Amino acid sequence: MVGLIGSVGSVSAQETTAGQGIWQFDMGDFVVSSPTIVGTTLYMGSNGGTVCAIDANTGGVEWRFTDPNEPVRSSPNVVDGTVYIGDDSGTVYAITAASGEQEWSRNVGINSTNSPVVTEGVVYVGGQSEGVYALDAASGDENWHFELDFIAQASPVVADGTVYIGSAIGSGPPSQVYAIDAASGTEEWVSELSSSGGSVETSPALGDGLL
């Protein structure tokens, strides 16, 4: 079994039993996001504004996508043959997983390190300004936009027709979690977690009717 790890400026593959190095691929700049593996291909972004597809067995490059002009710090989400990823300019990209060709891009004004969430033909993305957007996965057209009172640090979670996301600003306002109707973008409820302030920096987890 092989473990794939992003590090400063590179991605490496190590044998999981003894930690023996197998290959290392130079991304050309700092790597902040986690690799995403589908089949035998690894997808990765870098602070240099490049997204790469790498052969997970050999470390050879399959393609490079260089259109982003800002750091790519979110992890790719690969769904139905398309790579969805955001950069620090607030642009969300859809890239054909097999060839690296751009399908569409849309600037949603979000400086984001969290990854787009894709389900049932919709891309949900939140970030450090502007709130949460729902985009058509095939075209990038906006379905709806929900404004948050504060910033969103982590990716939303979508389940049973509802989008869940946390927000806050530093140690000032209280931490909050929002439930948003996934179809319409209207608020279902908002919950205050702590009156003393703080920041929700993780994605929610769902189980047995609890968030």
Side-chain angles (χ1 to χ4, degrees):
M1 184 177 292
V2 176
L4 296 156
I5 304 167
S7 60
V8 178
S10 67
V11 183
S12 63
Q14 293 178 299
E15 201 278 330
T16 56
T17 302
Q20 179 181 354
I22 298 174
W23 56 256
Q24 183 168 316
F25 179 83
D26 184 8
M27 290 291 294
D29 207 318
F30 286 98
V31 173
V32 178
S33 67
S34 299
T36 298
I37 304 171
V38 177
T40 59
T41 301
L42 176 150
Y43 302 91
M44 192 80 178
S46 77
N47 276 21
T50 298
V51 180
C52 292
I54 305 163
D55 187 296
N57 293 319
T58 67
V61 63
E62 296 180 0
W63 50 256
R64 293 178 186 266
F65 180 76
T66 59
D67 280 8
N69 295 315
E70 298 287 337
V72 177
R73 296 186 291 163
S74 70
S75 298
N77 193 347
V78 185
V79 178
D80 295 333
T82 299
V83 181
Y84 300 91
I85 198 163
D87 71 9
D88 273 17
S89 74
T91 301
V92 179
Y93 293 90
I95 307 164
T96 300
S99 64
E101 296 180 0
Q102 179 176 307
E103 297 177 10
W104 54 260
S105 67
R106 183 173 182 86
N107 189 283
V108 292
I110 293 174
N111 176 11
S112 178
T113 59
N114 64 65
S115 302
V117 175
V118 186
T119 181
E120 297 184 358
V122 181
V123 181
Y124 301 92
V125 60
Q128 296 180 5
S129 63
E130 305 294 336
V132 182
Y133 281 81
L135 308 176
D136 183 274
S139 66
D141 293 339
E142 180 183 322
N143 291 348
W144 52 257
H145 169 214
F146 180 85
E147 292 187 6
L148 293 175
D149 292 336
F150 313 122
I151 64 176
Q153 295 277 52
S155 300
V157 169
V158 185
D160 298 326
T162 299
V163 180
Y164 302 95
I165 193 166
S167 71
I169 298 180
S171 59
S175 304
Q176 293 180 315
V177 173
Y178 291 83
I180 306 164
D181 184 273
S184 65
T186 57
E187 181 183 303
E188 295 180 0
W189 52 258
V190 58
S191 177
E192 184 175 301
L193 299 183
S194 171
S195 59
S196 61
S199 182
V200 180
E201 297 187 356
T202 62
S203 298
L206 293 167
D208 294 330
L210 299 177
L211 179 68

